[in-house]
Amino acid sequence: MRRHSIISYLALLTIPVLVMSCEVFGLDYQDTYDFDYDKGLANNQVEMTVYDFIASRTDMFSLLKEAIDYAGMENEFKQNDMTYILPTNTALNSETSSDKSYFQTHQLTYIDEIGDTVSYAPISMTAYPKEQIREFLLYHIVKGQYTHTNLPAEPTWFKTCATADTAFVNMYLLKDRNPNLTFNNFDGHYKAKIKPRTANLYSVPCKSYMHVLDSWLDRPKKDQIHL
C-alpha cells in the first residue's frame, strides 16, 4: 500500500514537468472539439461564414482579411459549396527564407535618389494592385466541397474561382505515416507537398470546407495541368 502511494505521488510530480516541457519547446495545446458520435469524428463545424471566421482570428488572418477588404471580396468568402484555402500571416509575411512568403517572393521596386532600382518586401497586401490581389484570393477558392473523405490518393487538378486558364489547384490525400491533404505538389512549384496546419473545418452557414495553410499557392504552367 505504501509503495502504491509513493508511485502515485511521483506520478503527480511529473505533471508540472510535462506542462513546462510543452511551453519550453513551443508546443501549442491542441484545441478540443466535441466528438460527434454519429459520424465517429471530432466536431469540425464552425457556426460562422468563412469571412466571419477569418475576421474572428486576426491573430492568424489579419493580412488575409486586409486583402479581402481591399479587393472588396467579402461576399466571395460567404459562398456555398466551396473549398477555401486560407493562407495565414506566416504564408504572406514571414521573413524566414525557408517559408518563401508571398511578400518575399513578390517584392516591389522603387528608384532611389541616385537612380538605382531597389527591391523591397512590402508590409501590406494593399501595396499590390487590386486585380492582382483579387486573382490571388480567387485562386485560393476551389469550386466544390473537398476534404479528407472525398479527395483521391493521387494528385488531381480542381478548378478554382480565378479567371485564368491555369487557375487549377492540385489536391490529394497523401498516403503516408500520417495521411494528410497535400496541395500543389507539382514540378516547379516553389514548395513541394504543402500540407495544412489545420484541415477539414466546415463553415455551416456556407456549407463549405476550410483548410488553413502556412504557405500560399502558386499557379501551374498550362502544360503541367492534366485534366
Side-chain angles (χ1 to χ4, degrees), residues 120-137:
Y120 69 98
I123 60 173
S124 170
M125 297 298 284
T126 62
Y128 301 102
K130 282 187 180 181
E131 189 56 32
Q132 178 179 334
I133 296 304
R134 180 175 178 80
E135 284 297 297
F136 172 82
L137 293 172

Side-chain angles (χ1 to χ4, degrees), residues 25-219:
F25 290 104
L27 301 175
D28 295 325
Y29 295 109
Q30 285 188 327
D31 292 331
T32 57
Y33 297 96
D34 295 327
F35 195 82
D36 188 326
Y37 286 96
D38 293 329
K39 296 181 180 180
L41 297 168
N43 184 357
N44 61 342
Q45 297 187 348
V46 177
E47 299 292 340
M48 290 182 279
T49 68
V50 176
Y51 178 81
D52 289 337
F53 172 70
I54 291 168
S56 74
R57 292 299 307 270
T58 53
D59 59 316
M60 187 178 296
F61 298 122
S62 61
L63 290 171
L64 179 58
K65 182 180 183 300
E66 177 187 69
I68 295 169
D69 293 343
Y70 172 57
M73 292 179 57
E74 180 177 337
N75 288 336
E76 280 81 350
F77 283 79
K78 295 180 178 179
Q79 297 182 89
N80 289 346
D81 303 320
M82 298 291 183
T83 300
Y84 288 89
I85 301 167
L86 307 182
T88 64
N89 289 341
T90 297
L92 300 176
N93 73 350
S94 172
E95 296 179 355
T96 303
S97 59
S98 60
D99 287 334
K100 298 180 181 177
S101 69
Y102 192 80
F103 288 169
Q104 283 183 330
T105 53
H106 292 74
Q107 294 193 4
L108 302 176
T109 61
Y110 70 92
I111 305 299
D112 65 13
E113 62 276 6
I114 62 173
D116 291 335
T117 300
V118 180
S119 298
Y120 69 98
I123 60 173
S124 170
M125 297 298 284
T126 62
Y128 301 102
K130 282 187 180 181
E131 189 56 32
Q132 178 179 334
I133 296 304
R134 180 175 178 80
E135 284 297 297
F136 172 82
L137 293 172
L138 288 174
Y139 181 66
H140 287 73
I141 305 174
V142 180
K143 294 180 178 181
Q145 300 176 335
Y146 298 106
T147 187
H148 292 87
T149 56
N150 65 349
L151 278 175
E154 297 295 329
T156 304
W157 294 101
F158 297 90
K159 187 73 176 75
T160 72
C161 291
T163 58
D165 55 4
T166 57
F168 289 84
V169 161
N170 189 295
M171 296 190 297
Y172 66 105
L173 187 64
L174 178 66
K175 288 184 176 181
D176 204 347
R177 189 177 217 172
N178 298 305
N180 207 339
L181 306 188
T182 306
F183 299 87
N184 277 13
N185 186 27
F186 60 84
D187 290 342
H189 197 264
Y190 79 100
K191 272 188 181 181
K193 293 183 179 178
I194 294 175
K195 299 178 183 179
R197 61 176 292 162
T198 305
N200 198 41
L201 297 175
Y202 184 74
S203 167
V204 175
C206 295
K207 300 181 179 63
S208 295
Y209 283 97
M210 300 179 286
H211 307 303
V212 180
L213 272 63
D214 278 334
S215 300
W216 57 281
L217 299 181
D218 202 5
R219 296 182 186 188

